[in-house]
C-alpha cells in the first residue's frame, strides 16, 4: 500500500474513478504467460509498487501480455489498463501510445488514441503519483527494447 507516508490522493471524475477501481479490483491479464518471449520488471520505491510483466512477441506484434505485482491502486489499475490497451498491437504502436500516455501525465491534453487510459489523467497533478502510473509503462518499454535488441542480433 501507499500509506508509508502521506501521499496525496488524486481526485478523479466519478466515471474515471469507477473505471480505475474496477481495474484495481478485477485486474485484466493478471498472471503469467506459459511461454513468454520477454520478461521485465520494475519497482517504484517511493510508493512500494512492483510490476512484473510477461510478453509474447511474434513478428513485431504483442500477441499476449500478462502482469503480476503489488502496490497502490493507481500502479495496479494502470498496469491492467495498459495490458488491455497494448495486447494485439505492433511494438511501434505500443511505443507511440506509451509516449502519448507519458505526455498526458506531463500535463498535455490526452490524445484520442489513449482511450480508457485517459481515466488516469488526474494523476498528472500529483508528480509523486505520476511514478505509480508510469511504472508499468517503463517495464513495458524495457520488455519491448529487449525484443527489438534480440531481433537486431538475430538479423545481424
Ligand atoms: Zn503507487
Amino acid at each position: 500500500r501507499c500509506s508509508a507516508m502521506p501521499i496525496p490522493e488524486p481526485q478523479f471524475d466519478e466515471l474515471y474513478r469507477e473505471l480505475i477501481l474496477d481495474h484495481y479490483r478485477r485486474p485484466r491479464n493478471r498472471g503469467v504467460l506459459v511461454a513468454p518471449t520477454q520478461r521485465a520488471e520494475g519497482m517504484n520505491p517511493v510508493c512500494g509498487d512492483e510490476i512484473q510483466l510477461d510478453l509474447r512477441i511474434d513478428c513485431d506484434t504483442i500477441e499476449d501480455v500478462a502482469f503480476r505485482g503489488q502496490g497502490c491502486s493507481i500502479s495496479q489499475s494502470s498496469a491492467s489498463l495498459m495490458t488491455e490497451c497494448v495486447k494485439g498491437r505492433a511494438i511501434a504502436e505500443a511505443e507511440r501510445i506509451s509516449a502519448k500516455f507519458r505526455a498526458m501525465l506531463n500535463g498535455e491534453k490526452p490524445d484520442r488514441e489513449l482511450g480508457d487510459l485517459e481515466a488516469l489523467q488526474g494523476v498528472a497533478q500529483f508528480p509523486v503519483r505520476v511514478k505509480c502510473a508510469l511504472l508499468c509503462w517503463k517495464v513495458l518499454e524495457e520488455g519491448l527494447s529487449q525484443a527489438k535488441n534480440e531481433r537486431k542480433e538475430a538479423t545481424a
Side-chain angles (χ1 to χ4, degrees), residues 21-86:
L21 276 179
D22 185 55
H23 275 269
Y24 180 57
R25 290 181 185 138
R26 299 189 307 116
R28 322 303 198 264
N29 304 302
R30 192 181 168 91
V32 290
L33 294 186
V34 176
T37 56
Q38 256 68 47
R39 276 214 157 121
E41 60 181 3
M43 64 177 301
N44 167 23
V46 179
C47 182
D49 306 319
E50 294 175 23
I51 296 285
Q52 292 100 36
L53 196 70
D54 287 2
L55 295 164
R56 201 174 72 242
I57 294 172
D58 187 29
C59 296
D60 282 335
T61 299
I62 303 169
E63 296 288 350
D64 209 355
V65 55
F67 82 98
R68 295 157 320 280
Q70 52 185 10
C72 70
S73 58
I74 290 173
S75 68
Q76 304 302 305
S77 61
S78 181
S80 174
L81 281 157
M82 178 194 80
T83 59
E84 261 200 336
C85 173
V86 301

